[in-house]
Amino acid sequence: MIRYILGRLASIALTFFVVSVIVFLMMHAVPGGPFDGNDMPVSAEVKAKLNANLGLDKPLYVQYLNYMGGVLRLDFGVPFQSPGETVLQLLGRAWPPSLILGGAGVLIGAPLGILLGMAAALNRNSWIDYLASAFATLGLTIPVFVTSMMLILVFAVWLNWLPASGWGKPHSWVLPILAYATIPMATYARYTRSAMLDVLNKPFVTVLRAKGLPERRIIFQHVLRNASLAMVTVFLPMFIGTATGSIFVEAMFRVPGLGAYFVSSIEQRDYPLEMALILIVTLMFCFAYLISDIAYALLNPRIRFGGGEK
Amino acid sequence: MRLVDIKDLTVSFPQTEGLVQAVRGLTLHVAPGESLGIVGESGSGKSVTCMAVLRLLREPPARIAAERLELAGVDMRKADRRQLASMRGSVAAMIFQDPMTAFDPVFTIGHQIAETIRAHRAVSKSEAMAEAEDLLARVRIKAPKAVLQSYPHQLSGGMLQRAMIAMALSSRPQILFADEPTTALDVTIQAQILQLIKEIQAEYGMGLIMVTHDLGVVAETVDRVVVMYGGRVMEEGPVQEIFDAAAHPYTQALLGSIPGRVAGRQRLTEIKGASPNPAHPPSGCPFHPRCPVAEPRCAAEVPALAPFAPARAAACWRVA
Amino acid sequence: MTAPLLAPALELRGIGRTFRLREKGGLFARYTDHVAVRDVDLVLPRNAILGLVGESGSGKTTTGMMALRLLEPTTGRILVDGQDITALDPAALKPFRRRMQVVFQDSYSAIDPMMTLAQVVAEPLHIHGQGSRAGQTEAALAMLERVGLDRRYGSRYAHELSGGQRQRVAIARALILRPQVLVADEPTSALDVSVKAQIINLLMDLQAEMGLSILFISHDLSVVRSLTDRVAVMWNGRVVEEAPTEAIFTDARHPYTRSLLEAIPVLNPRLRRARSFPTRAEIEAQTPRLPAIPGLAAGATPQLVAEGDRRYEAIVGGVVGGIGGAATPEATIP
């Protein structure tokens, strides 16, 4: 197991390196630089000077090495769009709202979705199943800004219970989190339903019934344990994916989160911010997959003990 | 007293084509300690019959109707969830076709046998484990302790089938339902498992219903045979008499088409056509489109299963 | 057998296959070698059916796939009509592919569900560029008729057929190129009893009509007895016995062959009896022992020994006398 984890860590380091090179090259391959925008009329000399100050006139590999050297010291540079602070400071300011929004959304949406999926699977082809499936399908097909708008309309405009936008006191968090929670809820409901049904259709479930186990025990001991095998590999990475929040929900509720910077860093060729965002998200995903694979191995005796295969 | 007593059982499933009847008016019974073979091809309704007796089919979609459906005197039509759970595994146990998929892959064999014991009797975990080890030894497993601690994927098909039989025996059932228990196994393992089932049946004095498509399995293991085709019983009788002188044209044709009975390379007697589609069963006798001696009457009317000699019955107009 | 004027339809010489098994361990996995087939010699004569029997893991399917070069052998050679095809590149192999076809157990997954049956059967003609489109379709319909399916089945799809009918389509597709060799891998194992006989009869008829040579791979000894001329028994990746079919059934020499025969259910309830099956170690211990044979190296390892028109594994030399009434074999290595 330890050897396995070490191997995985090595492959994460490799992934991280490859992603950094590719993203670095791609960003520089796109024509134009940070000072080419029409809204920033600067003369050619000033532009050259700015480029020199930021090291943008050096050969690419030097720029890359300089940059990565900084990254290893946790220095991601200074964002072009906000030169008064470092990238880390900007992230420290903008990430918490996104984390709260995404994290709370998942923490509320995921358990509800799992329960919904279980209820649907256990009552296959009944009204509960149809209702839950319809709900999940709606959650996935209705764009989140429509959901947001409806929530604003009902709770802010008509009932006037909660603020329509902003990110101040915790009560202003309620609507964005609710709007966001519909996505993980719908996704988790669908996965849970199909994972459970998959196990329920296995022959061993019939055997469990034939030997007289109570249905409750069959579901909670056997079916859930097996379904969790399929679920764990999907759920953890999904969890991480949501930790960066939602661009749309943030826009709808004017939440000062990371979402806006994802877009603007690309639009405005803000290399340091763009690189930092991509590298951090990459790393988070790598570790999420590592953790979910370890969890899978711990749950699955076939991997834990090996052997048996031909 | 009858251990299994079924009268006029019909099992149907709603499908897009309409209500499909997998079993159509089946009547059979098993006495305590008796072994009955149910022989049939795929779609004959033989497995569905077993599942219906133990109420293991999902209802709905399945629909079960019967004049009588009794297991050890209990009316299985009216049994509730609780009653069913207490009957299954204790009064009646069942073993299945593919031992490789019959165990939950994430628990050890010992755990799965012990949980069966504990589902029916109040014993401690360690007592149940000790009993499980004992049961594995009784099905002639040489290293029961190792098997006890193994996960299903670590064992061979033959070993798993032995473990499944051990699990079935854990509450000393009065009857064992065996649904194609050797079909998924290698030939030499098949013969060993059949032999084990026979020995265990005698040792425990239990009834046995052996469901199979293989007449060889029947010839080796049971006292009495029910031949099914298209959801109906075609013929019934003591095994020796059926093999000596089958009465129904289907049974005769089936016996005649078995390969390897005589020396030398030669053509076999074949049965023309294919098994009936349960969604569109033929009128009259289900076998009449393939029957070499069919008469006009066979297509018009369903022959009833009628006794024609002591302990024997056939559903054929030509036999009555 | 008298010396054939023509080379056998198919010949395997010392063929073997080793699989590398990956053991769990992430990035730094370990590998172990598993010998699936070891040093197999087989001759499929022209116009004959050779049965290849054994249990799962015996290597019979691996051998069949190597004969078709659908799986590359690790050792040994494959000869078709006396020509060595072991090392041919795909282009040079193509004409031989036409002459060797295969039918599998699971015809459902082997037939494209989106194609009509006429298209399915005509496809090999199309691939090998034989005839016009219309000619190909006509040939396919004629072939469907020949395997016992009416021409109107040509416009149907696989899901409309029963298991036996699908197996007929698979056979039609395999035979449309008029191959010399057909490898049939458990073609009747998934079929109902009442349909099995139809397919066995069909194979027997087509073999005779077309002068086919069939390598019939099966675990079902009853089917093998009705259909084949000769039988080779595989065990643990080796051929342990090979003989004319009736000789196998009435006078088996190798203990493994005998245990396979012991496992066949007797279709007479009066003849029920308790049976015993030897373990692997017991089979090894019961391997026939033969006195020293001139020209054969003596040794403790079993080797294939020829005796008349049969071969079986035996331990040669050292111990005097045989087990199972083995006659003095001729001193030849096949």
mmCIF file of all heavy atoms in Angstrom, chain C residues 53-73:
data_model
loop_
_atom_site.group_PDB
_atom_site.id
_atom_site.type_symbol
_atom_site.label_atom_id
_atom_site.label_comp_id
_atom_site.label_asym_id
_atom_site.label_seq_id
_atom_site.Cartn_x
_atom_site.Cartn_y
_atom_site.Cartn_z
ATOM 1 N N VAL C 53 -10.408 -31.244 -26.507
ATOM 2 C CA VAL C 53 -11.191 -31.167 -25.285
ATOM 3 C C VAL C 53 -10.309 -30.872 -24.089
ATOM 4 O O VAL C 53 -9.103 -31.101 -24.096
ATOM 5 C CB VAL C 53 -12.002 -32.458 -25.025
ATOM 6 C CG1 VAL C 53 -12.898 -32.785 -26.185
ATOM 7 C CG2 VAL C 53 -11.073 -33.613 -24.714
ATOM 8 N N GLY C 54 -10.942 -30.350 -23.061
ATOM 9 C CA GLY C 54 -10.241 -30.017 -21.832
ATOM 10 C C GLY C 54 -11.134 -29.112 -21.016
ATOM 11 O O GLY C 54 -12.137 -28.612 -21.508
ATOM 12 N N GLU C 55 -10.741 -28.884 -19.763
ATOM 13 C CA GLU C 55 -11.550 -28.025 -18.903
ATOM 14 C C GLU C 55 -11.049 -26.594 -18.995
ATOM 15 O O GLU C 55 -10.078 -26.309 -19.695
ATOM 16 C CB GLU C 55 -11.497 -28.553 -17.470
ATOM 17 C CG GLU C 55 -12.095 -29.948 -17.378
ATOM 18 C CD GLU C 55 -12.080 -30.488 -15.968
ATOM 19 O OE1 GLU C 55 -11.051 -31.002 -15.529
ATOM 20 O OE2 GLU C 55 -13.111 -30.385 -15.305
ATOM 21 N N SER C 56 -11.717 -25.692 -18.286
ATOM 22 C CA SER C 56 -11.288 -24.298 -18.365
ATOM 23 C C SER C 56 -9.859 -24.184 -17.841
ATOM 24 O O SER C 56 -9.505 -24.823 -16.864
ATOM 25 C CB SER C 56 -12.236 -23.397 -17.578
ATOM 26 O OG SER C 56 -12.321 -23.814 -16.247
ATOM 27 N N GLY C 57 -9.059 -23.405 -18.527
ATOM 28 C CA GLY C 57 -7.666 -23.259 -18.125
ATOM 29 C C GLY C 57 -6.748 -24.316 -18.712
ATOM 30 O O GLY C 57 -5.554 -24.320 -18.455
ATOM 31 N N SER C 58 -7.307 -25.226 -19.536
ATOM 32 C CA SER C 58 -6.463 -26.283 -20.102
ATOM 33 C C SER C 58 -5.622 -25.759 -21.260
ATOM 34 O O SER C 58 -4.644 -26.376 -21.655
ATOM 35 C CB SER C 58 -7.336 -27.443 -20.578
ATOM 36 O OG SER C 58 -8.171 -27.013 -21.640
ATOM 37 N N GLY C 59 -6.021 -24.617 -21.827
ATOM 38 C CA GLY C 59 -5.277 -24.054 -22.948
ATOM 39 C C GLY C 59 -5.900 -24.362 -24.292
ATOM 40 O O GLY C 59 -5.329 -24.022 -25.328
ATOM 41 N N LYS C 60 -7.086 -24.983 -24.317
ATOM 42 C CA LYS C 60 -7.648 -25.386 -25.603
ATOM 43 C C LYS C 60 -8.057 -24.193 -26.462
ATOM 44 O O LYS C 60 -7.801 -24.179 -27.663
ATOM 45 C CB LYS C 60 -8.821 -26.366 -25.407
ATOM 46 C CG LYS C 60 -9.993 -25.851 -24.598
ATOM 47 C CD LYS C 60 -10.983 -26.987 -24.325
ATOM 48 C CE LYS C 60 -12.309 -26.480 -23.802
ATOM 49 N NZ LYS C 60 -12.224 -25.764 -22.523
ATOM 50 N N THR C 61 -8.674 -23.192 -25.847
ATOM 51 C CA THR C 61 -9.072 -22.014 -26.618
ATOM 52 C C THR C 61 -7.847 -21.227 -27.078
ATOM 53 O O THR C 61 -7.776 -20.772 -28.227
ATOM 54 C CB THR C 61 -10.013 -21.122 -25.797
ATOM 55 O OG1 THR C 61 -11.236 -21.828 -25.605
ATOM 56 C CG2 THR C 61 -10.296 -19.813 -26.498
ATOM 57 N N THR C 62 -6.869 -21.089 -26.197
ATOM 58 C CA THR C 62 -5.627 -20.392 -26.570
ATOM 59 C C THR C 62 -4.983 -21.082 -27.770
ATOM 60 O O THR C 62 -4.527 -20.419 -28.707
ATOM 61 C CB THR C 62 -4.652 -20.401 -25.376
ATOM 62 O OG1 THR C 62 -5.329 -19.862 -24.237
ATOM 63 C CG2 THR C 62 -3.419 -19.577 -25.669
ATOM 64 N N THR C 63 -4.980 -22.415 -27.762
ATOM 65 C CA THR C 63 -4.420 -23.159 -28.886
ATOM 66 C C THR C 63 -5.189 -22.860 -30.164
ATOM 67 O O THR C 63 -4.594 -22.608 -31.220
ATOM 68 C CB THR C 63 -4.445 -24.672 -28.579
ATOM 69 O OG1 THR C 63 -3.734 -24.901 -27.362
ATOM 70 C CG2 THR C 63 -3.829 -25.470 -29.702
ATOM 71 N N GLY C 64 -6.514 -22.868 -30.081
ATOM 72 C CA GLY C 64 -7.346 -22.589 -31.254
ATOM 73 C C GLY C 64 -7.090 -21.196 -31.809
ATOM 74 O O GLY C 64 -6.988 -20.993 -33.023
ATOM 75 N N MET C 65 -6.955 -20.229 -30.919
ATOM 76 C CA MET C 65 -6.725 -18.857 -31.369
ATOM 77 C C MET C 65 -5.338 -18.714 -32.009
ATOM 78 O O MET C 65 -5.157 -17.958 -32.951
ATOM 79 C CB MET C 65 -6.872 -17.873 -30.193
ATOM 80 C CG MET C 65 -8.279 -17.755 -29.632
ATOM 81 S SD MET C 65 -9.560 -17.399 -30.864
ATOM 82 C CE MET C 65 -10.264 -19.025 -31.126
ATOM 83 N N MET C 66 -4.370 -19.475 -31.498
ATOM 84 C CA MET C 66 -3.036 -19.408 -32.101
ATOM 85 C C MET C 66 -3.040 -20.056 -33.481
ATOM 86 O O MET C 66 -2.372 -19.576 -34.400
ATOM 87 C CB MET C 66 -2.012 -20.087 -31.186
ATOM 88 C CG MET C 66 -1.693 -19.263 -29.949
ATOM 89 S SD MET C 66 -0.223 -19.839 -29.094
ATOM 90 C CE MET C 66 -0.783 -21.373 -28.412
ATOM 91 N N ALA C 67 -3.820 -21.133 -33.626
ATOM 92 C CA ALA C 67 -3.893 -21.801 -34.922
ATOM 93 C C ALA C 67 -4.376 -20.833 -35.996
ATOM 94 O O ALA C 67 -3.963 -20.901 -37.150
ATOM 95 C CB ALA C 67 -4.819 -23.010 -34.836
ATOM 96 N N LEU C 68 -5.255 -19.904 -35.590
ATOM 97 C CA LEU C 68 -5.792 -18.931 -36.538
ATOM 98 C C LEU C 68 -4.921 -17.688 -36.634
ATOM 99 O O LEU C 68 -5.227 -16.763 -37.369
ATOM 100 C CB LEU C 68 -7.192 -18.499 -36.082
ATOM 101 C CG LEU C 68 -8.281 -19.551 -36.146
ATOM 102 C CD1 LEU C 68 -9.437 -19.161 -35.255
ATOM 103 C CD2 LEU C 68 -8.748 -19.727 -37.581
ATOM 104 N N ARG C 69 -3.895 -17.666 -35.827
ATOM 105 C CA ARG C 69 -3.047 -16.487 -35.658
ATOM 106 C C ARG C 69 -3.854 -15.271 -35.225
ATOM 107 O O ARG C 69 -3.579 -14.140 -35.600
ATOM 108 C CB ARG C 69 -2.235 -16.178 -36.919
ATOM 109 C CG ARG C 69 -0.878 -16.907 -36.875
ATOM 110 C CD ARG C 69 0.140 -16.297 -37.791
ATOM 111 N NE ARG C 69 0.503 -14.938 -37.383
ATOM 112 C CZ ARG C 69 1.244 -14.127 -38.122
ATOM 113 N NH1 ARG C 69 1.711 -14.520 -39.294
ATOM 114 N NH2 ARG C 69 1.535 -12.923 -37.710
ATOM 115 N N LEU C 70 -4.899 -15.537 -34.424
ATOM 116 C CA LEU C 70 -5.611 -14.444 -33.774
ATOM 117 C C LEU C 70 -4.889 -14.106 -32.478
ATOM 118 O O LEU C 70 -5.168 -13.113 -31.821
ATOM 119 C CB LEU C 70 -7.057 -14.838 -33.475
ATOM 120 C CG LEU C 70 -7.930 -15.022 -34.718
ATOM 121 C CD1 LEU C 70 -9.306 -15.528 -34.349
ATOM 122 C CD2 LEU C 70 -8.041 -13.712 -35.493
ATOM 123 N N LEU C 71 -3.952 -14.979 -32.116
ATOM 124 C CA LEU C 71 -3.127 -14.775 -30.933
ATOM 125 C C LEU C 71 -1.749 -15.261 -31.335
ATOM 126 O O LEU C 71 -1.615 -16.333 -31.912
ATOM 127 C CB LEU C 71 -3.701 -15.627 -29.791
ATOM 128 C CG LEU C 71 -3.117 -15.466 -28.407
ATOM 129 C CD1 LEU C 71 -3.520 -14.115 -27.841
ATOM 130 C CD2 LEU C 71 -3.634 -16.570 -27.492
ATOM 131 N N GLU C 72 -0.724 -14.472 -31.067
ATOM 132 C CA GLU C 72 0.607 -14.858 -31.520
ATOM 133 C C GLU C 72 1.215 -15.889 -30.573
ATOM 134 O O GLU C 72 1.207 -15.704 -29.365
ATOM 135 C CB GLU C 72 1.517 -13.623 -31.582
ATOM 136 C CG GLU C 72 1.117 -12.616 -32.650
ATOM 137 C CD GLU C 72 1.087 -13.204 -34.059
ATOM 138 O OE1 GLU C 72 1.902 -14.097 -34.362
ATOM 139 O OE2 GLU C 72 0.234 -12.778 -34.861
ATOM 140 N N PRO C 73 1.728 -16.987 -31.106
ATOM 141 C CA PRO C 73 2.385 -17.973 -30.254
ATOM 142 C C PRO C 73 3.738 -17.455 -29.760
ATOM 143 O O PRO C 73 4.400 -16.676 -30.445
ATOM 144 C CB PRO C 73 2.563 -19.185 -31.173
ATOM 145 C CG PRO C 73 2.491 -18.643 -32.555
ATOM 146 C CD PRO C 73 1.683 -17.387 -32.517
#
